[in-house]
Amino acid sequence: MRHVLDDPSGLSPRVSRFLRHAAERTSFDVSNGPATDELRSLLSQMPGVDVQATLTLFRRAAARYGGLRYRSVAWSFEETVTFVPIPWAADDYGIEDQDAMADLIAHDVAHPYAVWLRGDGAVVYCFTGPHSAPVVPVFPGIDAMLEAEALYQECATWIPVSLDDAPGMAAVEAHAAHLTPIPEACGYTERWWEQDGFRLHIWKTFATVFPGSGAAQWAMWARNRSGEMAARSFLTQART
């Protein structure tokens, strides 16, 4: 398994450009996690966990993404993140934990939530406070997370679009049915669409990680002035 910076196959050309221009590979020591025999024994005690498949997934994640670092502009981060896919040791699990987990992201600033890699490959977020906090699947895999980041990076150079009397989340989400989805960058709490030179992003991650926060958001960007006019037309129609 080659590192993603050496072989970005399977990812879009957009991600390849993003990684080439904005990412670097730092040192990564997988020995910080449990040894293979220890991990195998731990996973075998978890009902429903395919031990060999999970071991393979964690090993491949470490080889492909370990040490990947870049400055993120995503709403989830807006910081420098480093990929450290290290499986949990026994002491990291609570009594209520039923899924195999590995750490995934090391933040460079304080954050109230952690980002983990679940044994089925999903990227999950969790508030690092009370144990009753939900573990929220955000992306189906690491590649989808990178696809979304690459879109954020491109949109940072585009024109932000809104209206003085902008429609609410429900209206924008309903009207998004008229747009073309970008499936490779979509997850369980994040979705992207594009059409006519503009992009729409709906982000419900915080609203799900922190129930009752009301933090679901949408944002729109246009490639150029023509795209901006199309985006404004979309929002006007969504408002009616």
Side-chain angles (χ1 to χ4, degrees), residues 9-31:
S9 59
L11 293 163
S12 69
R14 179 187 302 115
V15 177
S16 296
R17 291 192 299 271
F18 156 62
L19 294 175
R20 187 166 59 250
H21 295 139
E24 62 178 343
R25 184 176 184 178
T26 64
S27 60
F28 172 70
D29 186 2
V30 72
S31 67

Side-chain angles (χ1 to χ4, degrees), residues 83-106:
F83 284 66
V84 289
I86 298 176
W88 286 8
D91 291 345
D92 295 320
Y93 289 94
I95 298 175
E96 72 283 357
D97 292 323
Q98 299 294 319
D99 296 306
M101 291 287 187
D103 291 332
L104 182 58
I105 293 293

Side-chain angles (χ1 to χ4, degrees), residues 128-196:
T128 53
H131 289 297
S132 59
V135 175
V136 177
V138 176
F139 293 104
I142 298 174
D143 283 355
M145 182 180 183
L146 294 178
E147 293 282 356
E149 181 67 51
L151 282 170
Y152 276 116
Q153 298 278 343
E154 277 194 351
C155 288
T157 66
W158 288 21
I159 304 167
V161 181
S162 187
L163 297 176
D164 290 339
D165 185 17
M169 169 67 75
V172 171
E173 187 171 20
H175 205 58
H178 299 282
L179 303 178
T180 302
I182 310 176
E184 65 271 18
C186 292
Y188 306 111
T189 62
E190 302 204 16
R191 298 187 67 192
W192 289 84
W193 296 262
E194 64 181 348
Q195 200 153 305
D196 301 327

Side-chain angles (χ1 to χ4, degrees), residues 24-58:
E24 62 178 343
R25 184 176 184 178
T26 64
S27 60
F28 172 70
D29 186 2
V30 72
S31 67
N32 290 330
T36 299
D37 289 345
E38 177 187 353
L39 184 58
R40 187 185 299 276
S41 175
L42 173 62
L43 295 177
S44 67
Q45 300 172 40
M46 305 180 72
V49 171
D50 185 324
V51 174
Q52 189 55 49
T54 303
L55 285 170
T56 299
L57 183 140
F58 286 163

Side-chain angles (χ1 to χ4, degrees), residues 69-113:
R69 176 179 292 171
Y70 56 78
R71 178 71 186 178
S72 173
V73 298
W75 281 349
S76 297
F77 304 116
E78 297 186 15
E79 57 168 322
T80 297
V81 298
T82 305
F83 284 66
V84 289
I86 298 176
W88 286 8
D91 291 345
D92 295 320
Y93 289 94
I95 298 175
E96 72 283 357
D97 292 323
Q98 299 294 319
D99 296 306
M101 291 287 187
D103 291 332
L104 182 58
I105 293 293
H107 300 286
D108 78 334
V109 297
H111 266 278
Y113 61 91

